Amino acid sequence: MKRLILALGLTSALTLAAVQPARADAVDDRVAVLQRSWDHINYEVPQGTRLAEMARLNIQADAVVAASPGRAEPLIWSAIITASEAGLRGGLGALGLAREARTLLERAEAINPRALNGAALTSLGSLYAQVPGAPIGFGNRTRARTYLQRALTIAPNDVDTNYFMGDLLNREHDYAGAARALERALAAPARPGRAAADRGRKAEARTLLAQVRTHL
């Protein structure tokens, strides 16, 4: 199975503090740790050790979710990490993790679909685009497009949303539309504190855009 993501680092020594029920600012701090850790693992950790690092981060994300009832942001990052672990594991065994990620994202969407610039919608769109369809999985390109279009109404210049829309349009052989979306991804503004993720995602966008342009 292609990597599911969703698709957003952890040094081997980095751990979250023991999680207690927290004020909103403390939750935001813990979410930021998950985000930075995912960025590092996904774009800077060697492939051979990435799965083990992501699995450890997934355990930490579960603790943040458990300590943050009613907050969409921890659910979103837990889902992104879970989907990333699924993609690294690959094969049919990854489908259970993909379904778990979908459930987390649906919970986040129900709480606040605009959280983190519509990241729950973007990630749902990516999952539906990349997971195999029935009878094996739940993939559905129509749903993928709907989620990604909703995400773009919230954050039209978001690098991830435009990248995943470009990926979907490429899968549907809409190469002109894919090129436009990928060009928007490459033009997306820098995200504070996310230099590694910006470099990595834009490198993926450049690679895919080069492939798309061979069809134009």
Side-chain angles (χ1 to χ4, degrees), residues 109 113-114 117-119 121-122 145-158 161-162 165 184:
E109 180 193 6
R114 302 184 68 88
N117 287 327
L121 304 176
T122 297
R145 180 187 289 267
T146 298
Y147 278 117
L148 291 170
Q149 286 173 336
R150 288 178 60 198
L152 285 169
T153 66
I154 294 169
N157 298 317
D158 183 78
T161 309
N162 279 292
M165 179 61 86
R184 287 193 296 271

Side-chain angles (χ1 to χ4, degrees), residues 8-11 14 32-45 53-54 57 77:
L8 300 97
L10 174 70
T11 63
L14 180 60
V33 171
L34 296 177
Q35 174 184 285
R36 290 192 300 268
S37 299
W38 184 91
D39 289 352
H40 173 63
I41 294 172
N42 204 52
Y43 291 113
E44 297 177 333
V45 168
E53 294 277 8
M54 196 69 75
L57 184 61
W77 271 105

Side-chain angles (χ1 to χ4, degrees), residues 1 10 18 36 51 54 81-82 95 103 129 136 160-162 168 203 207:
M1 185 192 303
L10 174 70
R36 290 192 300 268
L51 174 57
M54 196 69 75
I81 293 161
T82 299
L95 282 172
T103 297
I136 298 172
D160 291 326
T161 309
N162 279 292
L168 173 63
T207 298

